[in-house]
Structure formats: structure tokens, C-alpha cells
């Protein structure tokens, strides 16, 4: 059974999963990695979740304040051997629930065109493609999403 725990970015399992995520991103993004990497630091993140099965960390995600009542979903990852088991959807649902409890009314996020599985995940979970926001505004490879959670 999958258990999702709420934690902080200091959680050792979250840190290990993020290291795996960063390796995957670096491979996929290639020479564009340094641009995206600057926006993937956990300094401003206070809310993170980790998914476990039998005490093994399988996936994670986080959110941070974007502006006003909008939370930005960050650092979504599931280890390759556990993909296709609905873990990412469970992580995302927990992030949305937590954000809603903290009075956020919407979530936004950015992923890339090189991540078709992420695009499919967000569409499956009710996110709509929106105009690229903030630092992603003029980035052709970015795909931004939004969802009302109120």
C-alpha cells in the first residue's frame, strides 16, 4: 500500500529522490539544463511530500507560494521502476489537498515538451495548459498548467 507523508525539503528521502530527478532532468534538458536548474532549488519550498511503499521512498513532490493564493507545484518525481502505478497522481492529489488546507485556491506548474509523461499526468489530473508564466514566459520548450483547487 502506498503511504504519502507530508514533510519538508530537509527530509533525507526527499533529498535522495530530488538528486535522482536532477540527474534525469540534466540528461533530458542537455545544454538547456542550467537555465531550468536555477528555478529548481528547494530554498523557498516549505511543503514537500514523499510516497512510500514498505518503507521505500518511491516518489515525491512539493509546492511553494507563487503569488497570492496560487501555489506552484515543484519537484514531482517517481523512481522509474515504480512508474505506471498511479503514485504521481497520489502525490499530486496530496499536494493539492495540503495547498487547499493552507487557503490556496489554485495551483500552477511548469514542465517541458521533453516530458510527455508529465504532460499526460497533469492533463489526466485536471490541469489545463495555460500561458507560460514568470521566468518561463518566453521559453518555447516550457509547457505551463493551472488548476483551480477551491
Amino acid at each position: 500500500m502506498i503511504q504519502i507523508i507530508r514533510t519538508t525539503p530537509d527530509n533525507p528521502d526527499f533529498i535522495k529522490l530530488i538528486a535522482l530527478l536532477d540527474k534525469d532532468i540534466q540528461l533530458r534538458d542537455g545544454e538547456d539544463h542550467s537555465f531550468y536548474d536555477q528555478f529548481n532549488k528547494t530554498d523557498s519550498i516549505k511543503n514537500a511530500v514523499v510516497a512510500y511503499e514498505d518503507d521505500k521512498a518511491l516518489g515525491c513532490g512539493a509546492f511553494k507560494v507563487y503569488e497570492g493564493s496560487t501555489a506552484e507545484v515543484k519537484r514531482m518525481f517517481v523512481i522509474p521502476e515504480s512508474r505506471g502505478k498511479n503514485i504521481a497522481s497520489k502525490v499530486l492529489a496530496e499536494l493539492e489537498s495540503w495547498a487547499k488546507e493552507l487557503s490556496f485556491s489554485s495551483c500552477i506548474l511548469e514542465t517541458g515538451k521533453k516530458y510527455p509523461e508529465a504532460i499526460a499526468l497533469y492533463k489526466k489530473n485536471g490541469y489545463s495548459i495555460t500561458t507560460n508564466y514568470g521566468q518561463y514566459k518566453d521559453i518555447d520548450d516550457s509547457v505551463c498548467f493551472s488548476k483551480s483547487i477551491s
Side-chain angles (χ1 to χ4, degrees):
M1 185 170 128
I2 303 299
Q3 178 189 16
I4 310 285
I5 64 142
R6 294 178 179 184
T7 187
T8 66
D10 299 331
N11 177 297
D13 289 325
F14 183 80
I15 292 168
K16 288 176 192 170
L17 289 165
I18 293 306
L20 294 173
L21 169 62
D22 287 339
K23 284 180 186 175
D24 183 57
I25 289 172
Q26 187 170 14
L27 286 173
R28 290 197 208 200
D29 288 343
E31 60 189 45
D32 294 331
H33 179 68
S34 60
F35 171 78
Y36 292 107
D37 189 50
Q38 66 183 319
F39 305 116
N40 288 328
K41 307 300 181 212
T42 58
D43 311 8
S44 60
I45 295 174
K46 294 183 174 89
N47 306 86
V49 301
V50 177
Y52 292 92
E53 184 174 48
D54 298 326
D55 296 323
K56 181 180 179 185
L58 305 178
C60 64
F63 70 88
K64 67 178 187 173
V65 176
Y66 179 71
E67 63 182 31
S69 63
T70 301
E72 183 179 20
V73 174
K74 304 289 289 177
R75 314 310 292 167
M76 290 286 298
F77 181 73
V78 174
I79 59 173
E81 59 270 25
S82 293
R83 292 179 185 163
K85 299 179 181 177
N86 211 31
I87 295 168
S89 290
K90 290 176 182 177
V91 166
L92 190 57
E94 184 64 24
L95 292 171
E96 291 169 2
S97 178
W98 196 2
K100 187 174 180 177
E101 288 171 25
L102 295 174
S103 300
F104 289 97
S105 61
S106 64
C107 289
I108 59 170
L109 60 90
E110 181 272 345
T111 191
K113 291 180 181 174
K114 296 174 184 171
Y115 302 87
E117 70 282 12
I119 291 169
L121 167 74
Y122 299 127
K123 286 181 176 179
K124 176 178 103 172
N125 284 280
Y127 282 76
S128 300
I129 293 177
T130 187
T131 306
N132 287 6
Y133 62 87
Q135 63 268 24
Y136 309 111
K137 187 176 180 186
D138 297 317
I139 306 302
D140 289 337
D141 283 337
S142 288
V143 181
C144 294
F145 288 86
S146 66
K147 179 180 178 180
S148 173
I149 58 171
S150 55

